[in-house]
């Protein structure tokens, strides 16, 4: 088992290296750099002459090492990450990238994880119901709802919920708190207010996953329920409940376990768009802003982290699968 | 997935004198026909493609037509019965008179029931070229001179939203369909070649594919689309987005095709082709790919809705299609603030267009997958 884990980690390492290089490359693709953006801002907003602005930004380029060739900058960036955990400097926030990411990642992960848990629990439960009540009226309803669930664009759903809450119920939407509670100390009322805002992104982000889990669970359980050992269990006179939950579900839930590791980055992806609509203080708006103004260390680091989370998630899922299912071999 | 296990007692066709075995295509078609949702989806997609092909014919207004007099007109109703209770076989709309709400000071439109404008079908209107070739000015739906016909309301520039959604379908569906087609082509060729030849090419493409797949798609699309230079003309941006979809999307299909090719490589019919002196590319395109074409079509169909959603999100965030061009995502950019949304909720309708289209493609893709999976086993 240990050698299997080590082997998998060894295999993941070159992938991680490639991911970091590719992230940096992608972020470097746009012509120019942050200083080009800054130069434009200086001229249009601070009233500098183009010559002055160019001189100033060139000086800053030198200061931050942006005039170095691509490979040198990549080397410095990645070695600082590996040796010191330093992700570089964010120009728009004038602070280290690591600080911004850690500050906002907490809320981002909380939204994504809550969405994840809900989508797995609800998805699996509805999936079990649908499979055991196949071709009933409710099963058909759930099938259509699932299709709608993964067809609705995140941002559209967020807009729709915002509209209904704001104009149908007169509730405050956007952000995590009503204006009254933003800087208030934690209290029960503030917590309730937080929950009133928090469920919106969780539902928006989790809907597609719920729909997907439900369909996967339904399909798998239907396959398993047709197998001989299930028939044997029924023939022995076991109760339907015992057959389904003890014998069938355990085997059908396997692909969901595999999906656990893969899902997180995709939930984060949903969170990025949703938080841009709902104006949440999470990673989404920061990532968007950093891309647009070419704040490359911030954008690159975040892009890389998304992929790293996916690779680690896959690794964990593989290990979990070997652990859960004795039939999967270590090789 | 829609339930393929049940086999209803289909009356078997009488065997003819020399009965021919049913072809795979016919079997697949028969399976496909069994799913209601897939047929609904297929019909919708077909109608949508017609709508995009003949967009100017179906659009009551030209997309470029901005009118300051008709900013944010709410959706207008078609009437059959007039104010005096008389029935008109041809629907009509009432005249709209711009007015001001005395309390909020906002612009509202009052219905003037004394002035009626008949709706015309197949009547001449603004000039366009059908399919870009045949100059004509016949439109499916228009209104009598002087009247207005905004069935889904208008946007902030006074453009007819229904027409914008119809023209937006061209861009939104076009970029997704062509992006998916190119990515499927790349994926099929790369996957087939790497499965068939193996070796260094296989290792390299597999690694690149794995790398691309280890990024969540949307953030990657976002990061790469920023690289499209601002100076590019809108149409250039359109092609840029399409290329991004193609260049980043091929690994899914390549992986699938590679697996299939690996399993077919050792089959007798490929050996026979080898023995008969056929060359590699000939065997791939002539003997192996036809066996995989079903899966290619399925993945193609499934990736179209994903790309429609991606285009919507990208354009909505301002990183995709740019404004002179109209796409559903671009149209939704106007719906970002709660104030505009509250007063003019109909500007969310392009989102509904995305939802329905993606839904239809998903129905279709799901039905196709069931049909292909069942017959290729």
């Amino acid at each position: 088992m240990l050698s299997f884990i080590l082997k998998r980690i060894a295999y993941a390492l070159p992938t991680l290296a490639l991911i970091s290089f590719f992230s940096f490359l992608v972020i470097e693709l746009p012509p120019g750099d942050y200083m080009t953006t800054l130069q434009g801002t200086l001229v249009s907003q601070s009233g500098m002459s183009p010559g002055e602005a160019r001189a100033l930004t060139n000086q800053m380029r030198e200061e931050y090492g942006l005039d170095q060739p691509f490979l040198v900058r990549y080397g410095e960036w990645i070695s600082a990450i590996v040796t010191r955990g330093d992700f570089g400097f964010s120009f728009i926030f004038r602070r280290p990238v690591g600080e911004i990411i850690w500050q906002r990642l907490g809320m981002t992960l909380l939204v994504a994880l809550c969405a994840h848990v809900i989508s797995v629990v609800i998805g699996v439960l509805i999936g079990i119901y649908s499979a055991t009540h196949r071709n009933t009226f409710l099963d058909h309803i759930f099938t259509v709802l699932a299709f709608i669930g993964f067809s609705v664009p995140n941002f559209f759903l967020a807009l729709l919920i915002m509209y209904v809450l704001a104009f149908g119920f007169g509730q405050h939407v956007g952000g995590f708190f009503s204006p009254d509670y933003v800087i208030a100390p934690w209290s029960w009322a503030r917590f309730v207010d937080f929950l009133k805002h928090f469920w919106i992104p969780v539902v928006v982000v989790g809907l597609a996953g719920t729909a997907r889990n439900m369909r996967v669970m339904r399909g798998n359980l239907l396959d398993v329920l047709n197998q001989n050992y299930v028939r044997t269990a029924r023939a022995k006179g076991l109760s339907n409940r015992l057959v389904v939950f003890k014998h069938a579900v355990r085997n059908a839930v396997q692909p969901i376990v595999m999906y656990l590791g893969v899902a997180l980055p995709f939930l984060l992806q949903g969170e990025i768009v949703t938080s841009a609509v709902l104006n949440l203080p999470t990673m989404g708006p920061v990532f968007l802003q950093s891309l647009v103004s070419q704040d490359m260390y911030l954008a690159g680091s975040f892009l890389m982290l998304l992929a790293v989370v996916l690779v680690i998630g896959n690794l964990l899922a593989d290990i979990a699968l070997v652990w859960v299912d004795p039939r999967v071999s270590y090789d | 997935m829609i339930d393929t296990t049940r086999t209803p007692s289909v009356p078997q066709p009488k065997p003819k004198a020399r009965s021919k075995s049913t072809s795979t295509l016919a079997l697949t078609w028969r399976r496909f026909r069994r799913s209601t949702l897939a047929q609904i989806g297929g019909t919708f997609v077909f109608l949508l493609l017609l709508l995009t092909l003949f967009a100017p014919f179906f659009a009551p207004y030209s997309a470029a037509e901005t009118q300051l007099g008709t900013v944010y007109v709410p959706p207008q109703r078609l009437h059959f019965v007039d104010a005096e209770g008389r029935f008109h076989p041809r629907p009509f709309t009432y005249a709209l008179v711009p007015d001001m709400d005395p309390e909020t000071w906002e612009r509202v439109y009052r219905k003037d029931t004394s002035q009626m404008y008949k709706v015309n079908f197949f009547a001449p209107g603004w000039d366009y070229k059908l399919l870009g070739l045949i100059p004509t000015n016949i439109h499916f739906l228009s209104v009598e001179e002087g009247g207005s016909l905004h069935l889904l309301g208008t946007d902030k520039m006074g453009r007819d939203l229904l027409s914008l959604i119809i023209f937006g379908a061209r861009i939104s569906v076009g970029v997704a369909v062509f992006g998916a087609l190119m990515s499927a082509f790349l994926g099929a060729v790369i996957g087939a070649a790497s499965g068939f030849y193996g070796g260094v090419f296989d290792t390299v493409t597999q690694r690149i594919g794995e790398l691309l797949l280890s990024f969540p798609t949307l953030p990657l699309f976002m990061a790469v689309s920023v690289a499209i230079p601002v100076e590019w003309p809108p149409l250039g941006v359109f092609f840029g987005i399409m290329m991004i979809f193609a260049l980043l999307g091929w690994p899914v299909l390549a992986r699938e095709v590679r697996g299939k090719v690996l399993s077919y490589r050792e089959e007798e019919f490929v050996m026979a082709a080898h023995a008969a002196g056929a060359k590699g590319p000939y065997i791939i395109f002539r003997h192996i790919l036809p066996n995989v074409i079903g899966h290619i079509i399925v993945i193609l169909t499934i990736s179209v809705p994903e790309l429609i959603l991606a285009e919507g999100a990208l354009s909505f965030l301002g990183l995709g299609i740019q404004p002179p061009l109209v796409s559903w995502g671009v149209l939704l950019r106007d719906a970002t603030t709660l104030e505009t949304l509250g007063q003019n909720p109909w500007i969310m309708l392009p989102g509904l267009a995305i939802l329905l289209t993606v839904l239809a493609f998903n129905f279709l893709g799901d039905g196709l997958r069931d049909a292909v999976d069942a017959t290729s086993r």
Side-chain angles (χ1 to χ4, degrees), chain A residues 153 155 273, chain B residues 218 308-320 329 354:
Chain A
F155 57 97
V273 184
Chain B
L218 193 62
I308 293 178
L309 286 177
E311 185 279 327
L314 277 181
S315 306
F316 178 75
L317 295 174
L319 302 176
I354 300 184

Side-chain angles (χ1 to χ4, degrees), chain B residues 144-367:
Chain B
E144 271 180 337
E145 192 67 34
S148 63
L149 178 70
H150 301 297
L151 295 177
L152 301 182
T154 61
D155 75 342
K156 65 173 177 191
M157 288 191 267
R159 298 177 296 177
D160 178 51
L161 199 57
L162 175 65
S163 308
L164 287 179
I165 290 178
I166 293 176
F167 282 109
R170 282 190 151 176
I171 305 290
S172 291
V173 178
V175 81
V177 166
F178 287 114
L181 274 174
M182 283 203 291
S183 131
F185 177 75
L186 273 180
V189 171
I190 294 177
S194 74
F196 192 78
Y197 294 113
V200 183
F201 181 74
D202 183 32
T203 319
V204 171
T205 51
Q206 280 286 97
R207 268 292 179 176
I208 296 177
E210 196 183 330
L211 178 70
L212 291 178
L213 286 180
S214 51
F215 285 90
T217 41
L218 193 62
L220 189 60
F221 286 161
M222 286 166 71
V224 179
S225 64
V226 178
I228 298 177
V230 198
E231 311 88 61
W232 279 23
L235 218 56
V237 176
F238 173 84
F239 283 108
I241 301 283
M242 210 161 71
M243 289 310 294
I244 291 175
F245 287 170
L247 291 177
L248 300 179
W250 59 267
V252 184
L253 190 74
R255 186 173 272 197
E256 184 98 350
V257 169
R258 178 179 174 272
K260 296 274 171 203
V261 169
L262 276 179
S263 68
Y264 282 120
R265 198 168 62 171
E266 309 301 327
E267 297 265 335
E268 275 106 353
F269 68 91
V270 174
M271 304 254 192
H274 263 303
K279 295 278 184 300
Y282 182 82
I283 298 179
I284 291 177
F285 284 104
R286 194 71 202 156
H287 292 288
I288 296 183
L289 278 184
N291 281 303
V292 196
I293 197 78
H295 292 269
I296 296 178
I297 292 175
V298 168
I299 294 195
L300 183 68
T301 320
I302 294 173
S303 60
V304 169
E306 282 168 14
L307 293 184
I308 293 178
L309 286 177
E311 185 279 327
L314 277 181
S315 306
F316 178 75
L317 295 174
L319 302 176
I321 304 294
Q322 295 303 322
L325 282 187
V326 175
S327 85
W328 292 335
V330 170
L331 289 175
L332 278 169
R333 278 175 83 174
D334 295 339
T336 38
T337 59
L338 264 180
E339 290 75 39
T340 18
L341 215 54
Q343 284 155 21
N344 324 292
W346 58 89
I347 56 174
M348 277 192 285
L349 284 171
L352 200 62
I354 300 184
L355 170 61
L356 290 178
T357 307
V358 171
L359 195 60
F361 270 103
N362 278 336
F363 282 158
L364 177 65
D366 200 58

Side-chain angles (χ1 to χ4, degrees), chain A residues 11 15 19 22-23 26 134-135 147 151-153 155-156 159 163 167 173 215 218 265 269 273 277 291 306-307 310, chain B residues 1 3 5 207 210 213-219 226 312-313 316 332 335 338 341-342 345 348 354 359 362-363 366:
Chain A
Y11 184 75
T15 312
I19 284 174
F22 186 70
S23 308
V26 164
R134 191 154 61 107
N135 289 331
F147 270 107
S151 299
V152 61
F155 57 97
F156 177 59
L159 280 176
Y163 175 76
F167 298 99
V173 283
R215 295 300 293 166
R218 180 183 182 274
Q269 151 180 336
V273 184
V277 178
L291 279 179
L306 284 177
L310 184 74
Chain B
M1 260 201 249
D3 175 23
T5 47
R207 268 292 179 176
E210 196 183 330
L213 286 180
S214 51
F215 285 90
T217 41
L218 193 62
V226 178
F316 178 75
L332 278 169
L338 264 180
L341 215 54
M348 277 192 285
I354 300 184
L359 195 60
N362 278 336
F363 282 158
D366 200 58

Side-chain angles (χ1 to χ4, degrees), chain B residues 41-83:
Chain B
T43 314
F44 187 96
V45 167
F46 178 72
L47 293 178
L48 184 75
L49 291 182
L50 279 187
L51 192 72
T52 53
L53 269 180
F54 301 103
F57 170 70
F58 287 108
Y61 289 87
S62 148
E65 203 175 311
T66 60
Q67 288 174 312
L68 286 175
T70 58
V71 170
Y72 285 136
V73 173
Q76 270 180 290
R77 260 187 59 200
L78 282 181
H79 295 267
F80 286 93
V81 181
D82 64 20

Side-chain angles (χ1 to χ4, degrees), chain A residues 60-86:
Chain A
M60 282 178 75
R61 260 194 201 106
E62 237 167 83
E63 199 175 314
Y64 289 106
L66 294 181
D67 53 346
Q68 302 285 321
F70 171 75
L71 282 177
V72 176
R73 270 178 299 138
Y74 168 70
E76 277 172 11
W77 180 64
I78 195 70
S79 61
I81 292 175
V82 173
T83 54
R84 287 177 277 135
D86 173 10

Side-chain angles (χ1 to χ4, degrees), chain A residues 220-236:
Chain A
N220 286 323
L221 193 54
L222 280 180
D223 283 349
V224 173
L225 284 175
N226 276 330
Q227 283 180 9
N228 285 333
Y229 79 93
V230 172
R231 192 169 305 139
T232 312
R234 282 195 204 282
K236 283 196 300 186

